Amino acid sequence: MGWGVAPMALITPYEIRNRMFTMRGWLHQGYDADEVDDLLDDAAESLEQVSMWALIVGSRQHAISSRHRHRRHQMKRRRQSIKRIQP
């Protein structure tokens, strides 16, 4: 990828909504805590990955915008210098 972030399989909203858990406890009143923990770990890792991508993209966009503003400012100064030189 070249962004310094290792690609990984992200869990999708569909997978989160449709994950099935084993029922545990007396009369099956609860979910298996290990399965729920696994889902939360997968979701947290996916969110962390997407957040990292968003930070990288945002910082790159900011850098591009900053360079653009700097170039516009340079061009403005050059035009002003040329106007001062012209008779």
Side-chain angles (χ1 to χ4, degrees):
M1 245 180 192
W3 288 4
V5 179
M8 69 174 255
L10 300 176
I11 189 170
T12 65
Y14 176 82
E15 291 172 318
I16 293 171
R17 287 186 186 104
N18 293 300
R19 179 79 57 104
M20 300 297 290
F21 298 108
T22 304
M23 299 299 286
R24 297 281 185 220
W26 189 65
L27 294 177
H28 304 289
Q29 293 179 353
Y31 296 118
D32 183 340
D34 290 335
E35 291 178 1
V36 174
D37 287 344
D38 289 343
L39 172 66
L40 293 174
D41 288 343
D42 290 347
E45 289 174 14
S46 293
L47 182 59
E48 188 176 62
Q49 186 79 11
V50 169
S51 297
M52 184 64 68
W53 287 340
L55 286 172
I56 291 168
V57 169
S59 66
R60 286 181 178 204
Q61 287 175 338
H62 176 72
I64 290 168
S65 176
S66 295
R67 283 191 293 259
H68 180 68
R69 280 194 301 271
H70 179 71
R71 286 182 184 144
R72 276 195 342 233
H73 186 68
Q74 282 180 329
M75 293 300 292
K76 183 178 179 181
R77 284 187 301 184
R78 288 178 186 161
R79 283 193 302 271
Q80 290 171 346
S81 296
I82 290 170
K83 284 181 182 178
R84 279 185 258 139
I85 294 172
Q86 290 178 347

XYZ file of all heavy atoms in Angstrom:
721
model
N 0.796 -1.196 0.000
C 0.000 0.000 0.000
C 0.843 1.266 0.000
O 0.463 2.262 -0.537
C -0.896 0.003 1.225
C -2.317 -0.078 0.895
S -3.304 -0.060 2.381
C -4.775 -0.526 1.578
N 1.985 1.226 0.705
C 2.843 2.381 0.723
C 2.447 3.433 1.743
O 2.986 4.516 1.750
N 1.478 3.151 2.592
C 1.023 4.137 3.583
C 1.557 3.832 4.961
O 1.216 4.489 5.924
C -0.488 4.171 3.642
C -1.120 4.797 2.456
C -0.499 5.262 1.334
C -2.501 5.030 2.260
N -1.401 5.757 0.460
C -2.649 5.625 0.999
C -3.623 4.794 3.010
C -3.877 5.996 0.499
C -4.841 5.164 2.503
C -4.963 5.763 1.256
N 2.390 2.815 5.097
C 2.916 2.473 6.402
C 1.925 1.723 7.269
O 2.106 1.593 8.465
N 0.841 1.252 6.674
C -0.176 0.510 7.410
C -0.320 -0.850 6.750
O -0.565 -0.934 5.557
C -1.539 1.251 7.390
C -2.579 0.462 8.129
C -1.394 2.638 7.981
N -0.169 -1.889 7.543
C -0.284 -3.232 6.993
C -1.747 -3.539 6.671
O -2.628 -3.262 7.478
C 0.249 -4.251 7.991
N -2.008 -4.063 5.484
C -3.398 -4.403 5.148
C -3.878 -5.574 5.989
O -3.117 -6.485 6.301
C -3.332 -4.776 3.672
C -1.917 -5.156 3.433
C -1.092 -4.381 4.414
N -5.125 -5.515 6.401
C -5.713 -6.619 7.148
C -7.164 -6.745 6.741
O -7.746 -5.813 6.204
C -5.595 -6.400 8.650
C -6.456 -5.278 9.204
S -6.398 -5.209 10.973
C -7.974 -5.891 11.386
N -7.720 -7.896 6.986
C -9.125 -8.104 6.666
C -9.967 -7.361 7.697
O -9.829 -7.582 8.896
C -9.445 -9.590 6.679
N -10.790 -6.452 7.219
C -11.644 -5.682 8.105
C -12.972 -6.396 8.301
O -13.505 -6.997 7.374
C -11.903 -4.295 7.517
C -10.671 -3.428 7.274
C -11.071 -2.132 6.604
C -9.952 -3.156 8.577
N -13.502 -6.310 9.497
C -14.822 -6.862 9.746
C -15.842 -5.847 9.222
O -15.665 -4.643 9.362
C -15.034 -7.171 11.246
C -16.330 -7.941 11.454
C -14.987 -5.919 12.082
C -16.494 -8.487 12.866
N -16.867 -6.322 8.589
C -17.859 -5.434 7.991
C -19.046 -5.254 8.930
O -19.283 -6.081 9.815
C -18.372 -6.015 6.659
O -19.077 -7.235 6.935
C -17.218 -6.282 5.693
N -19.815 -4.172 8.747
C -21.035 -4.000 9.549
C -21.982 -5.196 9.399
O -22.628 -5.603 10.366
C -21.656 -2.721 8.991
C -20.492 -1.943 8.485
C -19.550 -2.987 7.927
N -22.028 -5.761 8.199
C -22.880 -6.928 7.980
C -22.454 -8.082 8.881
O -23.286 -8.746 9.495
C -22.814 -7.348 6.500
C -23.599 -8.605 6.199
C -24.974 -8.540 5.981
C -22.971 -9.846 6.150
C -25.705 -9.689 5.719
C -23.684 -11.001 5.889
C -25.067 -10.917 5.676
O -25.776 -12.059 5.431
N -21.132 -8.319 8.956
C -20.632 -9.411 9.804
C -20.919 -9.155 11.278
O -21.227 -10.088 12.024
C -19.123 -9.587 9.603
C -18.756 -10.127 8.241
C -17.264 -10.096 8.001
O -16.609 -9.108 8.354
O -16.773 -11.092 7.444
N -20.820 -7.901 11.703
C -21.120 -7.576 13.100
C -22.589 -7.834 13.400
O -22.934 -8.449 14.410
C -20.757 -6.111 13.414
C -19.237 -5.940 13.344
C -21.273 -5.696 14.785
C -18.782 -4.497 13.418
N -23.463 -7.353 12.531
C -24.908 -7.499 12.768
C -25.377 -8.952 12.706
O -26.351 -9.319 13.348
C -25.675 -6.679 11.736
C -25.587 -5.198 11.972
C -26.475 -4.431 11.011
N -26.260 -3.011 11.181
C -25.562 -2.249 10.355
N -25.008 -2.776 9.278
N -25.405 -0.971 10.589
N -24.696 -9.785 11.923
C -25.167 -11.150 11.713
C -24.335 -12.215 12.429
O -24.523 -13.403 12.175
C -25.213 -11.452 10.209
C -26.263 -10.608 9.536
O -27.436 -10.685 9.876
N -25.855 -9.764 8.603
N -23.438 -11.823 13.290
C -22.628 -12.794 14.047
C -23.550 -13.571 14.982
O -24.365 -12.988 15.702
C -21.548 -12.058 14.831
C -20.643 -12.900 15.681
C -19.520 -13.635 14.946
N -18.621 -12.824 14.178
C -17.391 -12.503 14.537
N -16.907 -12.904 15.677
N -16.645 -11.783 13.741
N -23.423 -14.859 14.953
C -24.230 -15.737 15.818
C -23.364 -16.180 16.994
O -22.194 -16.508 16.817
C -24.721 -16.953 15.034
C -25.584 -16.605 13.822
S -27.113 -15.763 14.238
C -28.012 -17.077 15.005
N -23.945 -16.182 18.184
C -23.230 -16.576 19.389
C -23.858 -17.829 19.985
O -25.061 -18.055 19.858
C -23.282 -15.466 20.445
C -22.638 -14.194 20.002
C -23.403 -13.087 19.688
C -21.266 -14.096 19.909
C -22.818 -11.912 19.292
C -20.664 -12.922 19.503
C -21.447 -11.819 19.196
N -23.020 -18.601 20.638
C -23.495 -19.768 21.366
C -24.143 -19.289 22.652
O -23.601 -18.418 23.343
C -22.305 -20.696 21.716
O -21.621 -21.023 20.505
C -22.773 -21.955 22.408
N -25.305 -19.837 22.953
C -26.000 -19.467 24.186
C -25.407 -20.258 25.340
O -25.169 -21.445 25.240
C -27.501 -19.738 24.061
C -28.167 -18.949 22.946
S -28.051 -17.179 23.146
C -29.219 -16.918 24.448
N -25.149 -19.596 26.453
C -24.578 -20.213 27.644
C -25.441 -19.885 28.859
O -26.229 -18.958 28.837
C -23.159 -19.692 27.894
C -22.180 -20.017 26.809
C -21.714 -21.440 26.937
N -20.658 -21.695 25.942
C -20.565 -22.797 25.279
N -21.390 -23.784 25.483
N -19.616 -22.955 24.393
N -25.204 -20.600 29.884
C -25.871 -20.300 31.143
C -27.117 -21.140 31.348
O -27.538 -21.933 30.497
N -27.696 -20.962 32.495
C -28.895 -21.693 32.869
C -30.046 -21.292 31.966
O -30.349 -20.118 31.799
C -29.229 -21.417 34.333
C -30.314 -22.279 34.858
C -30.273 -23.619 35.016
C -31.600 -21.850 35.291
N -31.451 -24.072 35.532
C -32.295 -22.993 35.708
C -32.225 -20.615 35.362
C -33.598 -22.944 36.193
C -33.507 -20.565 35.845
C -34.188 -21.718 36.248
N -30.671 -22.225 31.319
C -31.749 -22.012 30.354
C -31.329 -21.096 29.201
O -32.133 -20.364 28.639
C -32.984 -21.445 31.039
C -33.672 -22.380 32.036
C -34.846 -21.664 32.688
C -34.152 -23.655 31.375
N -30.025 -21.116 28.880
C -29.498 -20.361 27.729
C -29.881 -18.880 27.801
O -30.406 -18.305 26.867
C -29.968 -20.980 26.414
C -29.611 -22.415 26.289
N -28.324 -22.842 26.092
C -30.367 -23.550 26.358
C -28.302 -24.161 26.026
N -29.527 -24.628 26.205
N -29.583 -18.254 28.913
C -29.939 -16.846 29.100
C -28.818 -15.872 28.742
O -28.989 -14.680 28.890
C -30.355 -16.612 30.555
C -31.645 -17.318 30.907
C -32.014 -17.083 32.356
O -31.261 -16.515 33.117
N -33.194 -17.545 32.728
N -27.682 -16.355 28.311
C -26.577 -15.443 27.984
C -25.739 -15.960 26.840
O -25.875 -17.097 26.399
N -24.888 -15.079 26.344
C -23.993 -15.435 25.252
C -22.660 -15.911 25.799
O -22.268 -15.558 26.916
C -23.737 -14.221 24.349
C -24.967 -13.716 23.647
C -25.442 -12.433 23.879
C -25.640 -14.510 22.734
C -26.567 -11.962 23.211
C -26.761 -14.057 22.067
C -27.226 -12.776 22.312
O -28.329 -12.327 21.662
N -21.953 -16.656 24.996
C -20.608 -17.100 25.348
C -19.700 -15.865 25.359
O -19.511 -15.207 24.338
C -20.114 -18.122 24.319
C -18.745 -18.683 24.650
O -18.001 -18.044 25.429
O -18.426 -19.755 24.124
N -19.141 -15.542 26.517
C -18.340 -14.326 26.678
C -17.126 -14.320 25.765
O -16.741 -13.259 25.251
C -17.911 -14.176 28.129
N -16.500 -15.461 25.529
C -15.329 -15.520 24.652
C -15.684 -15.143 23.219
O -14.926 -14.449 22.539
C -14.698 -16.914 24.678
C -14.028 -17.217 26.011
O -13.625 -16.254 26.705
O -13.903 -18.408 26.345
N -16.842 -15.587 22.755
C -17.276 -15.255 21.397
C -17.576 -13.759 21.276
O -17.240 -13.131 20.261
C -18.501 -16.077 21.005
C -18.211 -17.551 20.825
C -19.453 -18.363 20.492
O -20.551 -17.772 20.374
O -19.324 -19.588 20.330
N -18.195 -13.201 22.297
C -18.485 -11.760 22.280
C -17.179 -10.972 22.321
O -17.010 -9.986 21.584
C -19.410 -11.363 23.455
C -19.594 -9.849 23.515
C -20.762 -12.058 23.333
N -16.232 -11.406 23.153
C -14.929 -10.746 23.222
C -14.216 -10.803 21.874
O -13.589 -9.811 21.456
C -14.045 -11.390 24.290
C -14.474 -11.042 25.699
O -15.259 -10.068 25.866
O -14.039 -11.735 26.633
N -14.295 -11.924 21.190
C -13.674 -12.052 19.866
C -14.280 -11.057 18.879
O -13.566 -10.425 18.096
C -13.814 -13.473 19.329
C -12.947 -14.481 20.075
O -12.005 -14.047 20.777
O -13.221 -15.694 19.950
N -15.608 -10.924 18.901
C -16.278 -9.973 18.011
C -15.827 -8.556 18.328
O -15.513 -7.771 17.426
C -17.799 -10.073 18.134
C -18.584 -8.988 17.391
C -18.398 -9.131 15.887
C -20.048 -9.033 17.750
N -15.775 -8.209 19.603
C -15.350 -6.866 19.986
C -13.888 -6.612 19.598
O -13.551 -5.499 19.162
C -15.554 -6.653 21.493
C -17.011 -6.618 21.953
C -17.071 -6.547 23.468
C -17.757 -5.451 21.323
N -13.046 -7.609 19.744
C -11.648 -7.463 19.315
C -11.555 -7.219 17.813
O -10.813 -6.338 17.354
C -10.833 -8.709 19.677
C -10.563 -8.834 21.164
O -10.703 -7.825 21.889
O -10.224 -9.957 21.601
N -12.307 -8.001 17.029
C -12.312 -7.824 15.571
C -12.811 -6.432 15.198
O -12.238 -5.770 14.321
C -13.204 -8.877 14.896
C -12.632 -10.280 14.955
O -11.438 -10.419 15.293
O -13.395 -11.236 14.682
N -13.881 -5.997 15.853
C -14.448 -4.681 15.556
C -13.462 -3.573 15.932
O -13.282 -2.604 15.189
C -15.770 -4.494 16.292
N -12.799 -3.708 17.084
C -11.831 -2.698 17.523
C -10.644 -2.626 16.563
O -10.180 -1.532 16.220
C -11.361 -3.008 18.939
N -10.144 -3.770 16.122
C -9.026 -3.783 15.176
C -9.420 -3.148 13.844
O -8.638 -2.390 13.259
C -8.538 -5.213 14.952
C -7.812 -5.787 16.144
C -7.460 -7.261 15.979
O -7.550 -7.769 14.837
O -7.095 -7.887 16.977
N -10.624 -3.430 13.387
C -11.083 -2.841 12.134
C -11.238 -1.331 12.275
O -10.834 -0.568 11.385
C -12.417 -3.461 11.711
O -12.240 -4.816 11.369
N -11.809 -0.888 13.378
C -11.976 0.547 13.613
C -10.619 1.236 13.706
O -10.425 2.332 13.173
C -12.785 0.784 14.888
C -13.073 2.232 15.243
C -13.835 2.923 14.127
C -13.859 2.294 16.546
N -9.675 0.602 14.366
C -8.327 1.158 14.471
C -7.688 1.296 13.092
O -7.066 2.314 12.786
C -7.481 0.251 15.357
C -6.122 0.808 15.691
C -5.390 -0.121 16.649
O -5.120 -1.286 16.266
O -5.104 0.309 17.765
N -7.848 0.299 12.257
C -7.276 0.323 10.904
C -7.908 1.439 10.070
O -7.199 2.209 9.419
C -7.499 -1.034 10.223
C -6.827 -1.174 8.899
C -5.356 -1.479 9.018
O -4.845 -1.786 10.075
N -4.650 -1.366 7.929
N -9.230 1.532 10.107
C -9.926 2.558 9.334
C -9.560 3.949 9.857
O -9.359 4.889 9.077
C -11.456 2.325 9.368
C -12.207 3.506 8.797
C -11.799 1.050 8.604
N -9.441 4.094 11.162
C -9.046 5.377 11.746
C -7.650 5.776 11.290
O -7.391 6.941 10.990
C -9.091 5.309 13.276
O -10.399 5.070 13.720
N -6.748 4.811 11.236
C -5.388 5.095 10.782
C -5.395 5.545 9.328
O -4.734 6.515 8.961
C -4.505 3.850 10.944
C -3.060 4.083 10.590
S -2.222 5.252 11.654
C -2.175 4.337 13.178
N -6.167 4.869 8.505
C -6.276 5.275 7.096
C -6.828 6.696 6.997
O -6.351 7.489 6.203
C -7.173 4.322 6.326
C -6.577 2.989 6.041
C -5.246 2.650 6.041
C -7.274 1.797 5.723
N -5.089 1.325 5.736
C -6.312 0.768 5.539
C -8.612 1.487 5.580
C -6.665 -0.533 5.220
C -8.962 0.181 5.261
C -7.995 -0.807 5.078
N -7.843 7.002 7.803
C -8.438 8.346 7.768
C -7.420 9.407 8.175
O -7.350 10.478 7.565
C -9.661 8.406 8.681
N -6.608 9.123 9.190
C -5.576 10.071 9.607
C -4.537 10.282 8.513
O -4.116 11.409 8.249
C -4.889 9.577 10.879
C -5.682 9.704 12.164
C -4.953 8.992 13.299
C -5.898 11.158 12.512
N -4.134 9.197 7.878
C -3.131 9.297 6.820
C -3.669 10.093 5.645
O -3.016 11.012 5.148
C -2.674 7.891 6.375
C -1.862 7.246 7.493
C -1.872 7.951 5.082
C -1.606 5.767 7.289
N -4.870 9.776 5.215
C -5.467 10.484 4.084
C -5.677 11.958 4.433
O -5.371 12.845 3.638
C -6.795 9.818 3.655
C -7.548 10.689 2.681
C -6.521 8.454 3.051
N -6.172 12.218 5.633
C -6.390 13.597 6.062
C -5.096 14.393 6.107
O -5.045 15.544 5.677
N -4.035 13.793 6.619
C -2.762 14.513 6.692
C -2.186 14.750 5.302
O -1.589 15.793 5.040
C -1.762 13.768 7.573
O -1.393 12.546 6.995
N -2.376 13.808 4.408
C -1.897 14.003 3.032
C -2.684 15.108 2.341
O -2.118 15.916 1.614
C -1.993 12.706 2.238
C -0.927 11.719 2.640
C -1.006 10.447 1.851
N 0.088 9.566 2.274
C 0.575 8.626 1.531
N 0.095 8.389 0.343
N 1.561 7.874 1.980
N -4.001 15.141 2.564
C -4.810 16.199 1.967
C -4.404 17.558 2.517
O -4.340 18.543 1.792
C -6.289 15.938 2.203
C -6.834 14.812 1.372
C -8.282 14.493 1.701
O -8.776 14.805 2.781
N -8.960 13.867 0.766
N -4.111 17.607 3.817
C -3.675 18.865 4.423
C -2.349 19.305 3.821
O -2.151 20.491 3.535
C -3.544 18.704 5.942
C -3.006 19.915 6.614
N -3.750 21.065 6.758
C -1.795 20.172 7.156
C -3.026 21.971 7.365
N -1.830 21.451 7.624
N -1.434 18.371 3.636
C -0.127 18.700 3.054
C -0.288 19.237 1.635
O 0.355 20.222 1.257
C 0.772 17.470 3.061
N -1.148 18.614 0.864
C -1.388 19.071 -0.516
C -1.985 20.469 -0.493
O -1.564 21.355 -1.239
C -2.309 18.079 -1.260
C -1.553 16.786 -1.531
C -2.829 18.695 -2.559
C -2.438 15.643 -1.993
N -2.957 20.688 0.380
C -3.601 21.995 0.487
C -2.601 23.056 0.930
O -2.596 24.170 0.411
C -4.753 21.908 1.488
O -5.341 23.164 1.678
N -1.739 22.720 1.881
C -0.727 23.673 2.354
C 0.234 24.060 1.238
O 0.580 25.235 1.082
C 0.061 23.076 3.523
O -0.771 22.880 4.623
N 0.670 23.060 0.477
C 1.571 23.363 -0.642
C 0.878 24.251 -1.663
O 1.482 25.164 -2.220
C 2.058 22.072 -1.294
C 3.147 21.379 -0.505
C 3.782 20.260 -1.312
N 2.856 19.180 -1.549
C 2.829 18.042 -0.882
N 3.710 17.826 0.065
N 1.951 17.114 -1.154
N -0.406 24.000 -1.898
C -1.152 24.794 -2.858
C -1.243 26.247 -2.380
O -1.026 27.178 -3.156
C -2.548 24.199 -3.061
C -3.384 24.944 -4.031
N -3.095 24.983 -5.376
C -4.494 25.707 -3.859
C -3.988 25.724 -5.998
N -4.847 26.173 -5.096
N -1.558 26.448 -1.094
C -1.626 27.805 -0.554
C -0.263 28.490 -0.645
O -0.169 29.673 -0.985
C -2.094 27.779 0.900
C -3.588 27.623 1.059
C -4.038 27.949 2.470
N -3.402 27.099 3.474
C -3.871 25.936 3.892
N -4.989 25.470 3.414
N -3.227 25.241 4.811
N 0.793 27.753 -0.341
C 2.141 28.321 -0.401
C 2.469 28.741 -1.834
O 3.019 29.832 -2.059
C 3.153 27.288 0.107
C 4.567 27.759 0.064
N 5.042 28.721 0.918
C 5.611 27.405 -0.740
C 6.319 28.941 0.645
N 6.686 28.152 -0.348
N 2.141 27.919 -2.791
C 2.415 28.253 -4.199
C 1.601 29.472 -4.639
O 2.119 30.328 -5.365
C 2.107 27.056 -5.095
C 3.135 25.966 -4.977
C 2.844 24.813 -5.906
N 3.793 23.754 -5.699
C 3.496 22.472 -5.772
N 2.271 22.092 -6.063
N 4.420 21.559 -5.562
N 0.326 29.536 -4.212
C -0.490 30.710 -4.567
C 0.123 31.974 -3.995
O 0.165 33.015 -4.655
C -1.915 30.543 -4.034
C -2.812 29.742 -4.924
C -4.289 29.874 -4.588
N -4.549 30.397 -3.275
C -5.322 29.820 -2.363
N -5.919 28.693 -2.620
N -5.527 30.375 -1.198
N 0.603 31.895 -2.752
C 1.220 33.048 -2.109
C 2.495 33.451 -2.856
O 2.748 34.651 -3.059
C 1.521 32.719 -0.640
C 2.028 33.876 0.132
N 1.243 34.976 0.426
C 3.243 34.119 0.686
C 1.946 35.840 1.107
N 3.175 35.341 1.293
N 3.295 32.467 -3.265
C 4.511 32.763 -4.029
C 4.169 33.464 -5.345
O 4.831 34.436 -5.728
C 5.281 31.482 -4.334
C 6.073 30.934 -3.189
C 6.800 29.656 -3.583
O 6.334 28.898 -4.418
N 7.946 29.426 -2.963
N 3.150 32.962 -6.032
C 2.757 33.561 -7.311
C 2.269 34.992 -7.105
O 2.574 35.877 -7.908
C 1.673 32.727 -7.999
C 2.159 31.365 -8.466
S 3.506 31.473 -9.650
C 2.659 32.172 -11.032
N 1.550 35.236 -6.040
C 1.059 36.583 -5.745
C 2.230 37.534 -5.518
O 2.253 38.651 -6.039
C 0.152 36.557 -4.519
C -0.453 37.888 -4.177
C -1.374 37.788 -2.978
C -1.965 39.129 -2.637
N -2.845 39.057 -1.471
N 3.238 37.088 -4.752
C 4.417 37.924 -4.513
C 5.176 38.189 -5.814
O 5.657 39.306 -6.045
C 5.346 37.255 -3.512
C 4.836 37.372 -2.081
C 5.840 36.861 -1.120
N 6.091 35.446 -1.471
C 6.877 34.636 -0.797
N 7.525 35.061 0.250
N 7.042 33.381 -1.154
N 5.273 37.191 -6.678
C 5.961 37.390 -7.954
C 5.225 38.404 -8.823
O 5.847 39.260 -9.458
C 6.094 36.060 -8.702
C 7.107 35.138 -8.080
C 7.184 33.828 -8.801
N 8.062 32.913 -8.085
C 8.075 31.622 -8.236
N 7.260 31.050 -9.116
N 8.897 30.877 -7.535
N 3.893 38.302 -8.869
C 3.108 39.267 -9.658
C 3.297 40.683 -9.119
O 3.427 41.640 -9.884
C 1.635 38.885 -9.664
C 1.290 37.736 -10.593
C -0.216 37.601 -10.798
N -0.940 37.407 -9.560
C -1.215 36.238 -8.977
N -0.800 35.119 -9.547
N -1.888 36.169 -7.853
N 3.318 40.823 -7.792
C 3.524 42.142 -7.194
C 4.906 42.680 -7.525
O 5.071 43.873 -7.808
C 3.322 42.074 -5.676
C 1.890 41.852 -5.273
C 1.729 41.563 -3.784
O 2.697 41.275 -3.088
N 0.487 41.624 -3.310
N 5.906 41.811 -7.507
C 7.264 42.231 -7.855
C 7.333 42.686 -9.305
O 7.978 43.693 -9.627
C 8.250 41.085 -7.643
O 8.316 40.730 -6.298
N 6.674 41.958 -10.186
C 6.676 42.309 -11.614
C 5.983 43.650 -11.816
O 6.454 44.496 -12.586
C 5.990 41.190 -12.445
C 6.896 39.961 -12.441
C 5.713 41.667 -13.860
C 6.239 38.722 -13.020
N 4.896 43.893 -11.098
C 4.184 45.167 -11.249
C 5.058 46.330 -10.775
O 5.007 47.413 -11.359
C 2.882 45.148 -10.428
C 1.788 44.337 -11.059
C 0.543 44.383 -10.225
C -0.544 43.516 -10.835
N -1.761 43.509 -10.010
N 5.856 46.149 -9.747
C 6.742 47.194 -9.261
C 7.857 47.501 -10.253
O 8.310 48.629 -10.371
C 7.341 46.825 -7.905
C 6.388 47.103 -6.775
C 7.051 46.847 -5.444
N 6.536 45.539 -4.994
C 7.230 44.588 -4.426
N 8.497 44.760 -4.156
N 6.678 43.463 -4.066
N 8.291 46.479 -10.970
C 9.382 46.640 -11.928
C 8.911 47.339 -13.197
O 9.620 48.148 -13.775
C 10.019 45.267 -12.274
C 10.702 44.706 -11.045
C 10.997 45.386 -13.423
C 11.188 43.280 -11.212
N 7.699 47.036 -13.630
C 7.191 47.597 -14.887
C 7.026 49.102 -14.756
O 6.571 49.610 -13.728
C 5.851 46.960 -15.243
C 5.975 45.516 -15.658
C 4.613 44.881 -15.961
O 3.591 45.449 -15.636
N 4.651 43.725 -16.583
N 7.388 49.845 -15.843
C 7.284 51.309 -15.804
C 5.860 51.796 -15.869
O 4.950 51.231 -16.244
C 8.064 51.774 -17.022
C 8.274 50.583 -17.881
C 8.004 49.381 -17.040
